[in-house]
Amino acid sequence: MIPREEAEQILKDIPVKPTPEEVSLEECRGRVLAEDIISPLDLPPFDKAAMDGYALRSSDQAEKYRIVEVIAAGSHPQRPLQPGECAKIMTGGKLPPGADRVVRREVTQEEDGWLVIVGEDKESNVCYQGEDIRRGEVVLEKGTFLRPQEVAVLASVGVTRVKVYCQPTVGLLATGSEIVSPGEPLREGQIYDSNTYSLAAQVAATGARLKKVGRGRDEPALLRRELEELLDECDLVLVSGGVSVGDYDYVPTILQELGVQIHFHKLAIKPGKPTIFGTRGETAVFGVPGNPVSTFVIFELLIKPFIFRLMGHSYQPLLLKGELAEELKRKKSRREAWLPVEYRQGQVRSLPYHGSAHIHALTRANGLIAFPRGVKILPKGSQIVVRPI
Ligand code: AMP
Ligand code: MG
């Protein structure tokens, strides 16, 4: 049984070779940059009005200004401003040469082609050329996960094709003679398979590509066939169930028979103790215990960062600090125990939770907290780290 930190280190030491490909700007969301993006231009590319108003020379200090032109966003100023002159300008319009501030329309009046300032405006109301991004600047670094805001930056510096890393292909296998597909009738002793769907959703959220999904009864020959296919065809295989010490937990043996080198089996984490991880060539495989919370938590803690590594991104979970609203106790402390919590305005509340089968508890949770190994009491009011889910 190894602690989480050791498992994380083992996973970080597995060599990965993300391969780049080129995609269009429209397709790049959720992908990871395989190149630095250097801006070919200043942003804004020119001094730009931040408000509707009148562009003028701040050195003038006049009471009235002659309006010499109207500048719309996208149009080109016709002439430089002379002393005592101003240009009516719309938000986004390019300042005429000589102008260095915009007086917003709300504090002005127009009288026969003259501007009169009737109120106070202390702001310059100008977005200056290059104040957001400088030409030649690295605006996004290789390894960046592209969210909508990064897509906006790519577009705003004029990029149309982006080098990103290929998405790893993932195969899922839910094992268990008791599990059946939602939609089928449930017979005595059977339950619906939820792990296939939770894992598929978690995989999709990382941007990896789900290639193949299987479900297998606890029969060695069948599981072996399914696993062999997935190992042959996918970059990453996720198996749920059948990894523990039960009579019908065949997965660890089969993985070894199929030539998988086991890097760890059994973690000092609750839930998720029987988790197994191995590699065969460039394919990696995780086996997680079948209880739905175990599957979910181990994905969050270990599988998700690993998938991001396969995509060339170093995933750092957001860790929030909160204050524990009530004391939490436990009897055994050999493992690091993860619990679902509700995090609101810095307060951390535990939720009714019956253990690793109780997936419904996670629907009210927006975070996970951990009892560190060796700790049996988390006092009320103590500072605690929350991992958002
Ligand atoms: P196992 O890891 O195979 O020992 O399974 C542990 C528990 O998780 C058992 O109660 C299983 O019935 C349950 N379980 C296994 N696979 C699934 C699944 N795909 N969906 C929901 N529950 C499961
Ligand atoms: Mg099982």
Side-chain angles (χ1 to χ4, degrees):
M1 197 161 79
I2 61 166
R4 174 177 50 86
E5 295 79 2
E6 204 172 311
E8 284 171 340
Q9 195 54 52
I10 291 171
L11 292 170
K12 275 192 191 140
D13 290 342
I14 300 293
V16 293
K17 275 193 254 147
T19 29
E21 63 172 335
E22 209 179 83
V23 295
S24 71
L25 181 61
E26 289 82 359
E27 297 165 318
C28 72
R29 189 199 63 84
R31 307 294 298 271
V32 176
L33 271 182
E35 59 178 344
D36 286 346
I37 301 293
I38 295 168
S39 177
L41 43 81
D42 283 338
L43 215 69
F46 48 85
D47 291 344
K48 182 176 92 168
M51 294 278 187
D52 295 318
Y54 298 85
L56 45 80
R57 302 148 48 104
S58 56
S59 56
D60 277 1
Q61 302 285 339
E63 282 174 12
K64 291 171 84 178
Y65 296 80
R66 203 161 68 79
I67 304 168
V68 295
E69 68 171 313
V70 178
I71 303 167
S75 73
H76 190 74
Q78 296 304 302
R79 60 202 277 295
L81 286 188
Q82 302 302 323
E85 292 181 347
C86 72
K88 191 171 187 180
I89 193 164
M90 311 306 142
T91 304
K94 180 176 177 184
L95 260 65
D100 61 355
R101 69 176 288 227
V102 171
V103 177
R104 70 194 152 90
R105 199 182 267 211
E106 289 82 344
V107 300
T108 64
Q109 277 173 9
E110 266 188 41
E111 291 168 9
D112 298 330
W114 289 79
L115 160 73
V116 183
I117 300 174
V118 295
E120 206 181 21
D121 187 359
K122 289 190 176 138
E123 305 297 325
S124 74
N125 299 315
V126 177
C127 305
Y128 295 100
Q129 176 171 349
E131 75 176 14
D132 297 341
I133 291 172
R134 283 254 165 235
R135 188 155 73 98
E137 185 185 330
V138 175
V139 280
L140 295 170
E141 283 175 21
K142 182 173 165 173
T144 302
F145 181 76
L146 299 173
R147 301 169 298 170
Q149 53 268 52
E150 281 84 23
V151 177
V153 167
L154 290 170
S156 63
V157 300
V159 165
T160 56
R161 308 278 307 165
V162 201
K163 245 192 227 153
V164 295
Y165 289 113
C166 292
Q167 297 154 301
T169 53
V170 180
L172 294 185
L173 176 63
T175 75
S177 300
E178 75 283 26
I179 57 168
V180 292
S181 273
E184 306 274 312
L186 272 189
R187 293 187 222 294
E188 193 94 5
Q190 294 184 323
I191 57 166
Y192 285 124
D193 166 19
S194 66
N195 292 342
T196 295
Y197 304 92
S198 62
L199 283 172
Q202 285 176 301
V203 166
T206 63
R209 204 154 57 78
L210 197 59
K211 187 166 179 192
K212 212 162 178 181
V213 179
R215 189 178 287 118
R217 292 187 305 279
D218 295 313
E219 289 171 20
L222 189 111
L223 292 181
R224 197 190 154 99
R225 214 170 39 240
E226 293 268 355
L227 274 172
E228 187 151 32
E229 247 182 70
L230 292 177
L231 287 168
D232 285 344
E233 292 180 27
C234 302
D235 300 317
L236 177 67
V237 178
L238 305 179
V239 189
S240 108
V243 291
S244 194
V245 293
D247 285 356
Y248 307 107
D249 290 338
Y250 299 117
V251 173
T253 316
I254 296 172
L255 288 178
Q256 286 180 64
E257 285 167 8
L258 289 172
V260 171
Q261 185 194 347
I262 306 301
H263 298 281
F264 61 73
H265 188 192
K266 297 204 177 14
L267 300 174
I269 300 180
K270 183 186 166 119
K273 180 173 157 191
T275 300
I276 186 167
F277 170 74
T279 51
R280 191 183 74 167
E282 288 177 5
T283 298
V285 50
F286 283 89
V288 288
N291 266 317
V293 180
S294 318
T295 305
F296 182 93
V297 167
I298 296 300
F299 188 95
E300 279 300 312
L301 298 181
L302 300 177
I303 303 176
K304 180 158 136 183
F306 188 75
I307 291 180
F308 278 123
R309 270 198 76 221
L310 293 176
M311 297 200 297
H313 172 63
S314 162
Y315 173 72
Q316 306 292 339
L318 181 68
L319 299 176
L320 306 171
K321 268 201 191 132
E323 193 182 291
L324 203 55
E326 68 273 312
E327 181 185 82
L328 294 176
K329 275 187 185 168
R330 62 171 175 165
K331 293 201 179 84
K332 293 190 203 154
S333 64
R334 283 187 63 213
R335 288 187 277 160
E336 176 182 77
W338 289 84
L339 298 176
V341 294
E342 192 183 17
Y343 176 85
R344 293 261 173 265
Q345 283 147 1
Q347 287 288 305
V348 182
R349 284 173 207 286
S350 67
L351 296 163
Y353 173 58
H354 311 143
S356 57
H358 191 189
I359 191 69
H360 193 220
L362 267 62
T363 63
R364 288 186 54 203
N366 59 6
L368 298 171
I369 60 165
F371 266 102
R373 280 179 305 129
V375 172
K376 288 186 178 163
I377 296 179
L378 294 172
K380 177 180 172 164
S382 55
Q383 287 287 311
I384 190 143
V385 172
V386 179
R387 204 162 156 141
I389 53 169

